[in-house]
Amino acid sequence: TVFNSLNHDMTLAEFKFIWYMEYSHRMWGRVVGLAYILPAAYFWRKGWLSRPMKGCVLALCGLVCFQGLLGWYMVKSGLEERPDSYDIPRVSQYRLAAHLGSALVLYSASLWTGLSVLLPRHKLPETRQLLRLRQYAHGATALIFLTALSGAFVAGLDAGLVYNSFPKMGERWIPDDLFAFSPVLRNIFENPTTVQFDHRILGIASVTAVTALYLFSRKIPLPRRTRMALTSLLAVACVQ
């Protein structure tokens, strides 16, 4: 059914290319899972993990398994037949966003845990400026995470194909069909125009937030490592 309604002119070579991409992705995910679980079990058995670290290890291994389960659940949505739908077969944008979000949480938690072990934490005086910088950093992190999730909705709905001009969308700053769906809240998650519009706004807001964070950090005496991290964050945001 999927073949008849989408890509019915696909050749065997083209199908093999997509199949091997999907197969490689699954195998790589399983390798990542083993790279977590096997060393964790070995270190645990050797008694090399402190009690707090055991909690982190269990949480990370649980996230790995949950990530794989979400991947299966996401792919399953693209293979379900829906007689009441006239749209082309695709995975659920909600499940795609959940799969991407859990991957970002897993990666961030892994990186944070690894750096916490490898690099000693700087003991800085808790000044008012430093507390505010930390709050701004947390806010920018949440905004970037939300922007990435909105990108999953763009991908899931093929919303990137709706408008390909920037900064305007077509001939207008605000498209006419921004709130075409009813109820209004449905547009945020299911209207391709609104999804792309939101992703643009969130992307601009993220770059602005990172730039403001960097400029504010210049007024505070910070360790060299922290200064390098903030500069790298700004550079990556601009490249992105």
Side-chain angles (χ1 to χ4, degrees):
T1 303
V2 174
F3 178 76
N4 290 332
S5 57
L6 179 67
N7 295 333
H8 55 271
D9 57 345
M10 178 183 290
T11 65
L12 181 60
E14 291 171 334
F15 172 78
K16 285 183 176 181
F17 176 75
I18 292 177
W19 189 91
Y20 279 117
M21 284 183 63
E22 175 67 19
Y23 181 76
S24 300
H25 179 69
R26 293 186 181 201
M27 291 301 106
W28 185 252
R30 290 167 184 171
V31 168
V32 170
L34 291 175
Y36 266 88
I37 295 170
L38 294 181
Y42 179 76
F43 295 155
W44 192 300
R45 186 176 178 82
K46 285 288 188 179
W48 294 346
L49 301 177
S50 63
R51 187 163 186 169
M53 186 54 64
K54 285 182 178 180
C56 290
V57 166
L58 285 176
L60 289 173
C61 289
L63 273 173
V64 169
C65 297
F66 180 68
Q67 173 69 5
L69 182 64
L70 267 181
W72 166 81
Y73 186 59
M74 177 195 71
V75 171
K76 184 175 179 290
S77 68
L79 302 175
E80 295 172 347
E81 293 187 26
R82 291 174 290 180
D84 58 332
S85 175
Y86 297 96
D87 198 4
I88 61 173
R90 56 161 61 97
V91 298
S92 165
Q93 68 271 27
Y94 297 101
R95 300 185 192 185
L96 178 60
H99 189 51
L100 175 64
S102 65
L104 289 173
V105 170
L106 174 61
Y107 179 79
S108 300
S110 302
L111 184 63
W112 184 273
T113 303
L115 291 177
S116 299
V117 172
L118 294 173
L119 301 175
R121 185 172 182 175
H122 287 297
K123 294 182 180 180
L124 301 175
E126 294 290 331
T127 62
R128 186 176 179 181
Q129 283 185 317
L130 187 62
L131 290 174
R132 186 174 296 177
L133 178 68
R134 190 176 290 127
Q135 290 173 347
Y136 287 171
H138 291 162
T141 301
L143 188 57
I144 292 169
F145 182 75
L146 188 61
T147 304
L149 287 189
S150 74
F153 281 90
V154 172
L157 291 170
D158 287 334
L161 304 177
V162 180
Y163 292 98
N164 60 359
S165 56
F166 187 85
K168 289 185 177 181
M169 298 179 71
E171 298 297 323
R172 302 176 65 87
W173 289 100
I174 301 178
D176 294 329
D177 56 341
L178 195 64
F179 299 109
F181 291 11
S182 181
V184 175
L185 187 62
R186 186 179 161 210
N187 290 276
I188 299 175
F189 304 106
E190 299 182 13
N191 185 340
T193 298
T194 312
V195 166
Q196 190 191 129
F197 181 81
D198 291 344
H199 188 59
R200 290 177 180 221
I201 298 301
L202 286 168
I204 294 170
S206 294
V207 174
T208 304
V210 170
T211 304
L213 178 68
Y214 173 79
L215 293 176
F216 181 72
S217 72
R218 301 296 296 176
K219 303 176 183 178
I220 307 173
L222 295 170
R224 181 173 176 271
R225 194 172 73 204
T226 308
R227 185 75 62 199
M228 287 178 60
L230 287 162
T231 304
S232 300
L233 177 63
L234 178 63
V236 172
C238 293
V239 170
Q240 176 69 6

Short mmCIF file of all heavy atoms in Angstrom, two decimals, residues 39-102:
data_model
loop_
_atom_site.label_atom_id
_atom_site.label_comp_id
_atom_site.label_asym_id
_atom_site.label_seq_id
_atom_site.Cartn_x
_atom_site.Cartn_y
_atom_site.Cartn_z
N PRO A 39 30.23 -1.77 29.28
CA PRO A 39 31.20 -1.17 30.22
C PRO A 39 30.58 -0.84 31.56
O PRO A 39 31.23 -0.98 32.60
CB PRO A 39 31.66 0.11 29.50
CG PRO A 39 31.35 -0.12 28.06
CD PRO A 39 30.12 -0.96 28.04
N ALA A 40 29.30 -0.40 31.55
CA ALA A 40 28.63 -0.07 32.81
C ALA A 40 28.55 -1.31 33.71
O ALA A 40 28.82 -1.24 34.92
CB ALA A 40 27.24 0.48 32.54
N ALA A 41 28.19 -2.45 33.11
CA ALA A 41 28.10 -3.68 33.89
C ALA A 41 29.48 -4.10 34.42
O ALA A 41 29.61 -4.56 35.57
CB ALA A 41 27.52 -4.80 33.02
N TYR A 42 30.51 -3.91 33.61
CA TYR A 42 31.88 -4.27 34.02
C TYR A 42 32.35 -3.39 35.17
O TYR A 42 32.86 -3.89 36.19
CB TYR A 42 32.82 -4.14 32.83
CG TYR A 42 34.26 -4.46 33.14
CD1 TYR A 42 34.69 -5.78 33.29
CD2 TYR A 42 35.19 -3.44 33.30
CE1 TYR A 42 36.01 -6.08 33.58
CE2 TYR A 42 36.51 -3.71 33.59
CZ TYR A 42 36.92 -5.04 33.73
OH TYR A 42 38.23 -5.31 34.02
N PHE A 43 32.16 -2.07 35.04
CA PHE A 43 32.59 -1.14 36.10
C PHE A 43 31.80 -1.38 37.39
O PHE A 43 32.34 -1.26 38.49
CB PHE A 43 32.41 0.30 35.64
CG PHE A 43 33.28 0.69 34.48
CD1 PHE A 43 32.91 1.71 33.61
CD2 PHE A 43 34.48 0.04 34.24
CE1 PHE A 43 33.71 2.06 32.54
CE2 PHE A 43 35.29 0.38 33.19
CZ PHE A 43 34.90 1.40 32.32
N TRP A 44 30.51 -1.69 37.21
CA TRP A 44 29.66 -1.95 38.38
C TRP A 44 30.17 -3.18 39.13
O TRP A 44 30.28 -3.18 40.36
CB TRP A 44 28.23 -2.17 37.90
CG TRP A 44 27.20 -2.17 39.00
CD1 TRP A 44 27.13 -3.01 40.07
CD2 TRP A 44 26.08 -1.27 39.13
NE1 TRP A 44 26.04 -2.72 40.85
CE2 TRP A 44 25.38 -1.66 40.31
CE3 TRP A 44 25.60 -0.22 38.37
CZ2 TRP A 44 24.22 -1.00 40.72
CZ3 TRP A 44 24.44 0.43 38.78
CH2 TRP A 44 23.77 0.05 39.95
N ARG A 45 30.47 -4.23 38.38
CA ARG A 45 30.94 -5.48 38.99
C ARG A 45 32.29 -5.29 39.69
O ARG A 45 32.54 -5.91 40.74
CB ARG A 45 31.04 -6.57 37.92
CG ARG A 45 31.39 -7.94 38.46
CD ARG A 45 31.37 -8.98 37.36
NE ARG A 45 31.74 -10.30 37.84
CZ ARG A 45 30.91 -11.14 38.45
NH1 ARG A 45 29.65 -10.79 38.66
NH2 ARG A 45 31.32 -12.32 38.86
N LYS A 46 33.13 -4.43 39.12
CA LYS A 46 34.45 -4.19 39.70
C LYS A 46 34.38 -3.27 40.92
O LYS A 46 35.38 -3.12 41.64
CB LYS A 46 35.36 -3.55 38.64
CG LYS A 46 35.85 -4.53 37.59
CD LYS A 46 36.88 -5.49 38.16
CE LYS A 46 37.52 -6.35 37.10
NZ LYS A 46 38.53 -7.27 37.66
N GLY A 47 33.23 -2.65 41.15
CA GLY A 47 33.09 -1.75 42.28
C GLY A 47 33.73 -0.40 42.07
O GLY A 47 34.11 0.27 43.04
N TRP A 48 33.83 0.02 40.81
CA TRP A 48 34.49 1.29 40.50
C TRP A 48 33.51 2.46 40.47
O TRP A 48 33.93 3.59 40.22
CB TRP A 48 35.20 1.19 39.15
CG TRP A 48 36.34 0.22 39.14
CD1 TRP A 48 36.95 -0.34 40.22
CD2 TRP A 48 37.00 -0.32 37.99
NE1 TRP A 48 37.96 -1.17 39.84
CE2 TRP A 48 38.03 -1.19 38.46
CE3 TRP A 48 36.86 -0.16 36.62
CZ2 TRP A 48 38.87 -1.89 37.61
CZ3 TRP A 48 37.70 -0.85 35.77
CH2 TRP A 48 38.70 -1.71 36.25
N LEU A 49 32.25 2.20 40.69
CA LEU A 49 31.25 3.26 40.61
C LEU A 49 30.79 3.66 42.00
O LEU A 49 30.46 2.81 42.83
CB LEU A 49 30.04 2.79 39.79
CG LEU A 49 30.30 2.37 38.34
CD1 LEU A 49 29.01 1.86 37.70
CD2 LEU A 49 30.88 3.51 37.53
N SER A 50 30.77 4.97 42.25
CA SER A 50 30.23 5.45 43.51
C SER A 50 28.71 5.33 43.49
O SER A 50 28.10 5.09 42.44
CB SER A 50 30.63 6.92 43.72
OG SER A 50 30.06 7.72 42.70
N ARG A 51 28.08 5.52 44.62
CA ARG A 51 26.62 5.39 44.69
C ARG A 51 25.91 6.40 43.78
O ARG A 51 24.99 6.03 43.06
CB ARG A 51 26.16 5.54 46.14
CG ARG A 51 24.68 5.25 46.31
CD ARG A 51 24.33 4.99 47.75
NE ARG A 51 22.95 4.60 47.89
CZ ARG A 51 22.41 4.12 48.99
NH1 ARG A 51 23.17 3.95 50.07
NH2 ARG A 51 21.13 3.78 49.04
N PRO A 52 26.30 7.69 43.81
CA PRO A 52 25.65 8.63 42.89
C PRO A 52 25.88 8.26 41.42
O PRO A 52 24.98 8.41 40.59
CB PRO A 52 26.31 9.98 43.23
CG PRO A 52 26.84 9.82 44.61
CD PRO A 52 27.23 8.39 44.72
N MET A 53 27.10 7.77 41.11
CA MET A 53 27.40 7.41 39.73
C MET A 53 26.58 6.20 39.28
O MET A 53 26.21 6.09 38.11
CB MET A 53 28.89 7.14 39.58
CG MET A 53 29.34 6.89 38.14
SD MET A 53 28.85 8.23 37.00
CE MET A 53 29.80 9.60 37.68
N LYS A 54 26.29 5.30 40.21
CA LYS A 54 25.44 4.15 39.87
C LYS A 54 24.06 4.62 39.42
O LYS A 54 23.48 4.08 38.48
CB LYS A 54 25.32 3.21 41.07
CG LYS A 54 26.56 2.37 41.34
CD LYS A 54 26.34 1.43 42.51
CE LYS A 54 27.57 0.56 42.75
NZ LYS A 54 27.38 -0.36 43.91
N GLY A 55 23.54 5.64 40.11
CA GLY A 55 22.26 6.19 39.71
C GLY A 55 22.31 6.79 38.32
O GLY A 55 21.39 6.60 37.51
N CYS A 56 23.40 7.52 38.02
CA CYS A 56 23.57 8.11 36.68
C CYS A 56 23.67 7.03 35.61
O CYS A 56 23.07 7.14 34.54
CB CYS A 56 24.83 8.98 36.66
SG CYS A 56 24.72 10.50 37.61
N VAL A 57 24.44 5.98 35.92
CA VAL A 57 24.63 4.89 34.95
C VAL A 57 23.30 4.19 34.66
O VAL A 57 22.96 3.91 33.50
CB VAL A 57 25.67 3.89 35.48
CG1 VAL A 57 25.64 2.60 34.67
CG2 VAL A 57 27.07 4.50 35.41
N LEU A 58 22.52 3.92 35.70
CA LEU A 58 21.22 3.27 35.51
C LEU A 58 20.29 4.16 34.68
O LEU A 58 19.57 3.67 33.79
CB LEU A 58 20.58 2.97 36.86
CG LEU A 58 21.16 1.79 37.64
CD1 LEU A 58 20.49 1.67 39.01
CD2 LEU A 58 21.00 0.49 36.86
N ALA A 59 20.31 5.46 34.96
CA ALA A 59 19.45 6.39 34.23
C ALA A 59 19.86 6.46 32.75
O ALA A 59 18.99 6.45 31.86
CB ALA A 59 19.53 7.78 34.86
N LEU A 60 21.17 6.51 32.49
CA LEU A 60 21.65 6.58 31.11
C LEU A 60 21.33 5.30 30.34
O LEU A 60 20.90 5.35 29.18
CB LEU A 60 23.15 6.86 31.08
CG LEU A 60 23.58 8.26 31.51
CD1 LEU A 60 25.09 8.35 31.62
CD2 LEU A 60 23.06 9.32 30.54
N CYS A 61 21.54 4.16 30.97
CA CYS A 61 21.22 2.89 30.31
C CYS A 61 19.72 2.77 30.06
O CYS A 61 19.29 2.26 29.02
CB CYS A 61 21.71 1.71 31.16
SG CYS A 61 23.51 1.54 31.20
N GLY A 62 18.93 3.26 30.99
CA GLY A 62 17.48 3.27 30.79
C GLY A 62 17.08 4.17 29.63
O GLY A 62 16.19 3.83 28.84
N LEU A 63 17.75 5.32 29.52
CA LEU A 63 17.47 6.24 28.40
C LEU A 63 17.84 5.61 27.06
O LEU A 63 17.15 5.83 26.06
CB LEU A 63 18.24 7.55 28.60
CG LEU A 63 17.56 8.63 29.43
CD1 LEU A 63 18.53 9.80 29.66
CD2 LEU A 63 16.29 9.13 28.76
N VAL A 64 18.93 4.85 27.03
CA VAL A 64 19.34 4.17 25.80
C VAL A 64 18.25 3.21 25.35
O VAL A 64 17.85 3.18 24.18
CB VAL A 64 20.67 3.43 26.00
CG1 VAL A 64 20.95 2.51 24.82
CG2 VAL A 64 21.82 4.41 26.16
N CYS A 65 17.76 2.41 26.28
CA CYS A 65 16.69 1.44 25.94
C CYS A 65 15.42 2.16 25.53
O CYS A 65 14.74 1.75 24.58
CB CYS A 65 16.43 0.52 27.14
SG CYS A 65 17.85 -0.49 27.62
N PHE A 66 15.09 3.22 26.24
CA PHE A 66 13.88 3.99 25.92
C PHE A 66 14.00 4.63 24.54
O PHE A 66 13.01 4.69 23.79
CB PHE A 66 13.67 5.07 26.99
CG PHE A 66 12.46 5.93 26.77
CD1 PHE A 66 11.18 5.39 26.88
CD2 PHE A 66 12.59 7.27 26.45
CE1 PHE A 66 10.06 6.17 26.67
CE2 PHE A 66 11.47 8.06 26.24
CZ PHE A 66 10.21 7.51 26.36
N GLN A 67 15.19 5.09 24.18
CA GLN A 67 15.43 5.69 22.87
C GLN A 67 15.19 4.68 21.76
O GLN A 67 14.56 4.98 20.74
CB GLN A 67 16.86 6.22 22.81
CG GLN A 67 17.32 6.73 21.46
CD GLN A 67 16.61 8.00 21.05
OE1 GLN A 67 15.83 8.57 21.79
NE2 GLN A 67 16.87 8.45 19.84
N GLY A 68 15.68 3.45 21.95
CA GLY A 68 15.43 2.41 20.95
C GLY A 68 13.97 2.07 20.82
O GLY A 68 13.45 1.88 19.71
N LEU A 69 13.27 2.01 21.95
CA LEU A 69 11.83 1.73 21.94
C LEU A 69 11.06 2.83 21.21
O LEU A 69 10.14 2.56 20.42
CB LEU A 69 11.33 1.59 23.37
CG LEU A 69 9.84 1.24 23.56
CD1 LEU A 69 9.55 -0.14 22.97
CD2 LEU A 69 9.46 1.28 25.03
N LEU A 70 11.44 4.07 21.46
CA LEU A 70 10.79 5.20 20.78
C LEU A 70 11.03 5.16 19.27
O LEU A 70 10.16 5.51 18.48
CB LEU A 70 11.30 6.53 21.34
CG LEU A 70 10.50 7.17 22.48
CD1 LEU A 70 11.14 8.49 22.88
CD2 LEU A 70 9.05 7.40 22.08
N GLY A 71 12.24 4.74 18.88
CA GLY A 71 12.54 4.62 17.46
C GLY A 71 11.64 3.62 16.77
O GLY A 71 11.11 3.86 15.68
N TRP A 72 11.43 2.46 17.43
CA TRP A 72 10.52 1.45 16.87
C TRP A 72 9.09 1.99 16.80
O TRP A 72 8.39 1.81 15.80
CB TRP A 72 10.56 0.20 17.76
CG TRP A 72 9.42 -0.75 17.48
CD1 TRP A 72 9.34 -1.67 16.47
CD2 TRP A 72 8.20 -0.84 18.21
NE1 TRP A 72 8.14 -2.33 16.53
CE2 TRP A 72 7.41 -1.84 17.59
CE3 TRP A 72 7.69 -0.17 19.34
CZ2 TRP A 72 6.15 -2.20 18.05
CZ3 TRP A 72 6.43 -0.52 19.80
CH2 TRP A 72 5.69 -1.52 19.16
N TYR A 73 8.67 2.67 17.86
CA TYR A 73 7.31 3.23 17.93
C TYR A 73 7.11 4.29 16.84
O TYR A 73 6.03 4.39 16.26
CB TYR A 73 7.10 3.82 19.32
CG TYR A 73 5.70 4.30 19.60
CD1 TYR A 73 4.62 3.43 19.53
CD2 TYR A 73 5.47 5.62 19.97
CE1 TYR A 73 3.33 3.86 19.82
CE2 TYR A 73 4.19 6.07 20.25
CZ TYR A 73 3.13 5.19 20.18
OH TYR A 73 1.85 5.62 20.45
N MET A 74 8.15 5.07 16.56
CA MET A 74 8.06 6.10 15.53
C MET A 74 7.93 5.48 14.14
O MET A 74 7.05 5.86 13.36
CB MET A 74 9.30 7.00 15.59
CG MET A 74 9.36 8.07 14.52
SD MET A 74 11.00 8.81 14.36
CE MET A 74 11.92 7.46 13.62
N VAL A 75 8.82 4.53 13.82
CA VAL A 75 8.79 3.89 12.50
C VAL A 75 7.46 3.18 12.28
O VAL A 75 6.90 3.19 11.17
CB VAL A 75 9.97 2.91 12.36
CG1 VAL A 75 9.84 2.09 11.08
CG2 VAL A 75 11.29 3.68 12.35
N LYS A 76 6.93 2.57 13.31
CA LYS A 76 5.65 1.84 13.22
C LYS A 76 4.53 2.76 12.73
O LYS A 76 3.64 2.33 12.00
CB LYS A 76 5.32 1.25 14.59
CG LYS A 76 4.06 0.39 14.62
CD LYS A 76 3.90 -0.23 16.00
CE LYS A 76 2.63 -1.09 16.08
NZ LYS A 76 1.42 -0.27 16.04
N SER A 77 4.58 4.04 13.14
CA SER A 77 3.52 4.97 12.74
C SER A 77 3.51 5.24 11.24
O SER A 77 2.47 5.58 10.68
CB SER A 77 3.67 6.29 13.50
OG SER A 77 4.84 6.99 13.08
N GLY A 78 4.66 5.07 10.58
CA GLY A 78 4.72 5.29 9.15
C GLY A 78 4.26 4.11 8.33
O GLY A 78 4.13 4.19 7.10
N LEU A 79 4.04 2.97 8.99
CA LEU A 79 3.62 1.76 8.29
C LEU A 79 2.17 1.40 8.54
O LEU A 79 1.67 0.41 8.02
CB LEU A 79 4.50 0.58 8.74
CG LEU A 79 6.01 0.75 8.51
CD1 LEU A 79 6.77 -0.42 9.09
CD2 LEU A 79 6.31 0.91 7.02
N GLU A 80 1.50 2.21 9.35
CA GLU A 80 0.11 1.94 9.66
C GLU A 80 -0.80 2.45 8.54
O GLU A 80 -0.65 3.58 8.07
CB GLU A 80 -0.29 2.59 10.99
CG GLU A 80 0.46 2.01 12.20
CD GLU A 80 0.21 2.81 13.47
OE1 GLU A 80 -0.33 3.93 13.35
OE2 GLU A 80 0.56 2.33 14.55
N GLU A 81 -1.75 1.64 8.12
CA GLU A 81 -2.70 2.04 7.09
C GLU A 81 -3.83 2.83 7.72
O GLU A 81 -4.44 2.40 8.70
CB GLU A 81 -3.26 0.80 6.37
CG GLU A 81 -2.23 0.05 5.56
CD GLU A 81 -2.86 -1.05 4.72
OE1 GLU A 81 -4.06 -0.92 4.39
OE2 GLU A 81 -2.18 -2.03 4.43
N ARG A 82 -4.10 4.01 7.14
CA ARG A 82 -5.18 4.85 7.65
C ARG A 82 -6.15 5.14 6.50
O ARG A 82 -5.92 6.05 5.70
CB ARG A 82 -4.60 6.16 8.21
CG ARG A 82 -3.81 5.96 9.50
CD ARG A 82 -3.14 7.23 9.96
NE ARG A 82 -2.05 7.62 9.07
CZ ARG A 82 -1.30 8.69 9.25
NH1 ARG A 82 -1.52 9.49 10.28
NH2 ARG A 82 -0.33 8.98 8.41
N PRO A 83 -7.23 4.37 6.41
CA PRO A 83 -8.17 4.53 5.30
C PRO A 83 -8.82 5.91 5.25
O PRO A 83 -9.22 6.37 4.18
CB PRO A 83 -9.23 3.44 5.59
CG PRO A 83 -8.57 2.48 6.52
CD PRO A 83 -7.61 3.29 7.33
N ASP A 84 -8.91 6.59 6.41
CA ASP A 84 -9.57 7.89 6.44
C ASP A 84 -8.63 9.02 6.07
O ASP A 84 -9.02 10.19 6.06
CB ASP A 84 -10.14 8.14 7.85
CG ASP A 84 -9.06 8.08 8.93
OD1 ASP A 84 -8.06 7.35 8.71
OD2 ASP A 84 -9.24 8.73 9.97
N SER A 85 -7.35 8.72 5.77
CA SER A 85 -6.37 9.76 5.46
C SER A 85 -6.00 9.71 3.98
O SER A 85 -5.81 8.65 3.40
CB SER A 85 -5.11 9.58 6.31
OG SER A 85 -4.11 10.50 5.94
N TYR A 86 -5.93 10.90 3.37
CA TYR A 86 -5.55 11.01 1.96
C TYR A 86 -4.13 11.56 1.83
O TYR A 86 -3.67 11.87 0.74
CB TYR A 86 -6.53 11.93 1.22
CG TYR A 86 -7.94 11.39 1.21
CD1 TYR A 86 -8.87 11.82 2.15
CD2 TYR A 86 -8.33 10.44 0.28
CE1 TYR A 86 -10.17 11.32 2.15
CE2 TYR A 86 -9.63 9.92 0.27
CZ TYR A 86 -10.54 10.37 1.21
OH TYR A 86 -11.80 9.86 1.21
N ASP A 87 -3.44 11.69 2.95
CA ASP A 87 -2.08 12.20 2.95
C ASP A 87 -1.12 11.08 2.56
O ASP A 87 -1.43 9.90 2.65
CB ASP A 87 -1.73 12.74 4.33
CG ASP A 87 -0.53 13.65 4.30
OD1 ASP A 87 -0.03 13.92 3.19
OD2 ASP A 87 -0.08 14.10 5.37
N ILE A 88 0.11 11.46 2.14
CA ILE A 88 1.11 10.46 1.82
C ILE A 88 1.57 9.78 3.11
O ILE A 88 1.55 10.39 4.17
CB ILE A 88 2.32 11.08 1.08
CG1 ILE A 88 3.01 12.12 1.96
CG2 ILE A 88 1.89 11.68 -0.24
CD1 ILE A 88 4.30 12.66 1.37
N PRO A 89 1.98 8.52 3.05
CA PRO A 89 2.43 7.83 4.28
C PRO A 89 3.68 8.52 4.85
O PRO A 89 4.62 8.82 4.13
CB PRO A 89 2.77 6.42 3.78
CG PRO A 89 2.04 6.27 2.49
CD PRO A 89 1.99 7.63 1.88
N ARG A 90 3.67 8.75 6.15
CA ARG A 90 4.83 9.33 6.83
C ARG A 90 4.73 9.00 8.31
O ARG A 90 3.65 8.69 8.81
CB ARG A 90 4.90 10.85 6.63
CG ARG A 90 3.65 11.63 7.06
CD ARG A 90 3.99 13.10 7.26
NE ARG A 90 4.46 13.72 6.08
CZ ARG A 90 3.70 14.43 5.23
NH1 ARG A 90 2.41 14.55 5.46
NH2 ARG A 90 4.21 14.99 4.17
N VAL A 91 5.87 9.08 8.99
CA VAL A 91 5.86 8.82 10.43
C VAL A 91 5.18 9.99 11.13
O VAL A 91 5.14 11.11 10.63
CB VAL A 91 7.29 8.62 10.98
CG1 VAL A 91 7.95 7.41 10.33
CG2 VAL A 91 8.14 9.87 10.78
N SER A 92 4.66 9.71 12.32
CA SER A 92 4.00 10.74 13.11
C SER A 92 5.01 11.80 13.53
O SER A 92 6.09 11.48 14.05
CB SER A 92 3.36 10.11 14.35
OG SER A 92 3.03 11.09 15.31
N GLN A 93 4.67 13.06 13.31
CA GLN A 93 5.58 14.14 13.71
C GLN A 93 5.72 14.22 15.23
O GLN A 93 6.76 14.64 15.75
CB GLN A 93 5.10 15.49 13.17
CG GLN A 93 3.81 16.03 13.75
CD GLN A 93 2.59 15.56 13.00
OE1 GLN A 93 2.60 14.50 12.38
NE2 GLN A 93 1.52 16.35 13.04
N TYR A 94 4.70 13.76 15.95
CA TYR A 94 4.77 13.74 17.41
C TYR A 94 5.80 12.70 17.88
O TYR A 94 6.61 12.96 18.77
CB TYR A 94 3.40 13.40 18.00
CG TYR A 94 2.33 14.43 17.68
CD1 TYR A 94 1.41 14.19 16.67
CD2 TYR A 94 2.25 15.62 18.40
CE1 TYR A 94 0.42 15.13 16.38
CE2 TYR A 94 1.27 16.55 18.12
CZ TYR A 94 0.36 16.30 17.11
OH TYR A 94 -0.61 17.23 16.82
N ARG A 95 5.76 11.52 17.28
CA ARG A 95 6.70 10.46 17.65
C ARG A 95 8.12 10.81 17.20
O ARG A 95 9.09 10.48 17.88
CB ARG A 95 6.26 9.14 17.05
CG ARG A 95 4.88 8.69 17.52
CD ARG A 95 4.52 7.31 16.99
NE ARG A 95 3.10 7.02 17.20
CZ ARG A 95 2.54 5.85 16.92
NH1 ARG A 95 3.28 4.87 16.41
NH2 ARG A 95 1.25 5.65 17.12
N LEU A 96 8.24 11.47 16.04
CA LEU A 96 9.56 11.90 15.57
C LEU A 96 10.17 12.91 16.54
O LEU A 96 11.36 12.84 16.86
CB LEU A 96 9.43 12.51 14.17
CG LEU A 96 10.71 13.06 13.53
CD1 LEU A 96 11.74 11.95 13.37
CD2 LEU A 96 10.40 13.69 12.17
N ALA A 97 9.35 13.86 17.01
CA ALA A 97 9.84 14.86 17.97
C ALA A 97 10.24 14.20 19.29
O ALA A 97 11.24 14.57 19.90
CB ALA A 97 8.76 15.92 18.21
N ALA A 98 9.46 13.20 19.71
CA ALA A 98 9.80 12.49 20.95
C ALA A 98 11.11 11.72 20.79
O ALA A 98 11.95 11.70 21.71
CB ALA A 98 8.67 11.53 21.32
N HIS A 99 11.31 11.09 19.63
CA HIS A 99 12.54 10.34 19.37
C HIS A 99 13.75 11.27 19.35
O HIS A 99 14.79 10.96 19.95
CB HIS A 99 12.39 9.63 18.02
CG HIS A 99 13.48 8.65 17.71
ND1 HIS A 99 13.87 7.67 18.60
CD2 HIS A 99 14.26 8.49 16.61
CE1 HIS A 99 14.84 6.96 18.07
NE2 HIS A 99 15.11 7.44 16.86
N LEU A 100 13.62 12.41 18.70
CA LEU A 100 14.72 13.38 18.66
C LEU A 100 14.96 13.98 20.04
O LEU A 100 16.11 14.13 20.46
CB LEU A 100 14.40 14.50 17.66
CG LEU A 100 15.40 15.66 17.60
CD1 LEU A 100 16.76 15.17 17.12
CD2 LEU A 100 14.89 16.78 16.70
N GLY A 101 13.88 14.31 20.74
CA GLY A 101 14.03 14.91 22.07
C GLY A 101 14.73 13.99 23.04
O GLY A 101 15.61 14.41 23.80
N SER A 102 14.36 12.71 23.03
CA SER A 102 15.01 11.75 23.93
C SER A 102 16.48 11.57 23.56
O SER A 102 17.33 11.38 24.44
CB SER A 102 14.28 10.41 23.90
OG SER A 102 14.38 9.80 22.63
#
